Amino acid sequence: MADIEFFKQMAEKYSVINLIWQPDGVVNGNASINAFYKSCVEPETIYFKLDDDIIWMEPGLIEKMVSFRVDNPQYFVVSPLVINNSLSTYLLQVENKIRLDKYYQASSSHPVLWKSGYFAKELHQWFIERYLNTGKWNTLYIGKKEMGMTRFSINAILWFGDEMRKFDGVVPGDDEEFMSCIYPTKHGMSNAWNGDAIVAHFAFFTQREQLDKWHILERYGEVCCKNFANSDKMRGYYDAVQDAMTYVKRNEAELTQRKSPYRSVPAKITWRGRIKEYLPEAVRELLLIRYDLKRQGGFIVE
């Protein structure tokens, strides 16, 4: 309810924000997402789905991506180049925009490019220090890249409502697998990256614990805050968001006691989760340290 209160305040302040409630009235992790696609079928409409942990977008990104979508109607979905997305990193590698310690294969769930928090830390630091702080992110542009018959993490994608309308927005099972792979493959379509438009994605769940320790999110916050200070318009938006967040934090105890409009589905606990739940904090910390020692860095050469 604290999260919901934040979004309510944003919607009350800005008429462009329209809150769409989960159609089934159920909160069940990623499985709750699919129902929203049924509302994304309006004709002559472009939809842009962004993960909630997209933490930076280049100036003019939305306009650039909409233009790319209009100019490339043959693709099912299109995506910008995403910093901290396994296949986007693969593209940067093969285009010699980033030099890694060895060749890493193209895989949406790669054990390093997707899973490793240490790699994600290096990648974010590399991007912030070399490209955000210098304003040279455009030197990473790689042009348009087609893809087909392969899954990718859909951190930021655009599609036409007309195409989604053909199947009434009914997305079964894993929405990433269906949207990026199954549907376009069955219908002889491909997808594409606009490699001349860049966003940064914070973390996959496999990376979150490590990235939080290194305050990567705060570093992006500093960059954004500095940029917002140069614009009265952006500074106004920033201040409004901060005011809402301050209110929510100050009233969090009361807000979390309010009745939720959603029915919650208990998360399935794996055997690993059960074991971890009963381990003393000191033991869990030792296990994390042991994992950390396996590979702490040195992925990016230059």
Side-chain angles (χ1 to χ4, degrees), residues 61-131:
L61 182 281
I62 293 177
E63 293 89 341
K64 183 183 286 189
M65 286 305 304
V66 169
S67 295
F68 183 85
R69 174 73 281 191
V70 171
D71 294 340
N72 293 275
Q74 69 272 30
Y75 303 119
F76 178 49
V77 298
V78 298
S79 169
L81 189 67
V82 182
I83 301 301
N84 196 24
N85 171 290
S86 185
L87 293 193
S88 286
T89 304
Y90 178 80
L91 287 173
L92 290 171
Q93 173 188 232
V94 297
E95 288 293 323
N96 296 316
K97 297 295 184 177
I98 188 171
R99 185 180 171 195
L100 303 177
D101 62 318
K102 64 179 182 179
Y103 173 79
Y104 291 100
Q105 295 177 327
S107 170
S108 63
S109 56
H110 194 281
V112 171
L113 306 185
W114 171 78
K115 187 175 183 180
S116 172
Y118 285 100
F119 175 77
K121 178 200 71 168
E122 277 193 41
L123 183 66
H124 280 307
Q125 290 178 331
W126 169 84
F127 181 64
I128 291 171
E129 292 165 7
R130 295 192 178 205
Y131 301 99

Side-chain angles (χ1 to χ4, degrees), residues 136-147:
K136 295 181 179 179
W137 58 80
N138 62 319
T139 61
L140 293 175
Y141 288 171
I142 58 174
K144 181 171 69 176
K145 299 294 180 182
E146 291 191 56
M147 54 184 152

